[in-house]
């Protein structure tokens, strides 16, 4: 006999993190895990929401403050910040950073490459500006 029950599609950790961050970003201020769970439609167990928030805290993507016996959570970065953190973790895990970066850059679409060059130029200019007047 086979089990005919339908199981919901299992979401990846990154997808759940993005959903939780998105919900937090919609809050008017710090939000409880229960509020996040309700905002997501109650499909996730409370303990799952707390686990995801704790992982996001470890990644620096959220902050928390005591609120009674629980915590109130606030996004420290948006989804773009979380994606950048993931990219950095991948880069940090590789021994040949130059090869990884070279492969990444050569795989970019022309518009993305132009944007990256523009952003690097802006960052370089900001570093120069901060360093001016220091001797």
């Amino acid at each position: 006999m086979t089990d005919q029950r339908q199981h919901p599609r299992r979401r990846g950790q990154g997808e759940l993190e993005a959903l939780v961050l998105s919900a937090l970003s919609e809050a008017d201020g710090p939000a409880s895990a229960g509020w996040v769970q309700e905002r997501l439609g109650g499909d996730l167990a409370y303990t799952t929401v707390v686990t995801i928030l704790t992982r996001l805290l470890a990644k620096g993507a959220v902050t928390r403050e005591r609120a009674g016996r629980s915590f109130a959570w606030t996004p420290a970065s948006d989804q773009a910040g979380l994606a950048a953190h993931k990219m950095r973790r991948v880069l940090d895990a590789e021994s040949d950073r130059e090869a990884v970066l070279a492969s990444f850059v050569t795989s970019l679409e022309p518009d993305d490459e132009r944007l990256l060059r523009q952003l690097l130029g802006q960052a370089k200019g900001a570093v120069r500006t901060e360093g001016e007047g220091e001797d």
Side-chain angles (χ1 to χ4, degrees):
M1 232 170 129
T2 60
D3 187 356
Q4 297 289 329
R5 287 180 281 178
Q6 292 288 324
H7 296 284
R9 180 181 72 83
R10 185 171 171 92
R11 290 178 273 208
Q13 179 181 333
E15 184 178 352
L16 290 175
E17 289 175 351
L19 287 171
V20 168
L21 265 182
S22 178
L24 271 181
S25 68
E26 295 172 6
D28 291 333
S32 69
W35 183 91
V36 173
Q37 180 191 25
E38 287 177 23
R39 189 71 175 182
L40 296 175
D43 290 344
L44 297 176
Y46 177 83
T47 54
T48 301
V49 173
V50 170
T51 297
I52 294 165
L53 286 166
T54 303
R55 286 180 182 159
L56 289 169
L57 179 67
K59 294 176 179 182
V62 299
T63 60
R64 70 180 183 186
E65 58 189 54
R66 268 279 175 213
R69 292 180 4 188
S70 187
F71 291 102
W73 304 83
T74 306
S77 65
D78 56 10
Q79 289 185 13
L82 183 58
H85 180 78
K86 288 177 186 177
M87 292 167 65
R88 179 62 188 258
R89 267 198 343 240
V90 168
L91 181 61
D92 288 346
E94 296 297 325
S95 59
D96 191 349
R97 297 171 74 87
E98 183 177 348
V100 172
L101 287 170
S103 180
F104 175 73
V105 170
T106 59
S107 69
L108 292 174
E109 295 292 324
D111 287 344
D112 290 335
E113 185 179 342
R114 273 191 293 282
L115 178 58
L116 181 58
R117 288 181 189 283
Q118 177 185 349
L119 293 170
L120 287 170
Q122 290 171 359
K124 191 174 184 179
V127 169
R128 223 181 278 128
T129 301
E130 289 173 7
E132 287 178 3
E134 292 179 15
D135 286 313

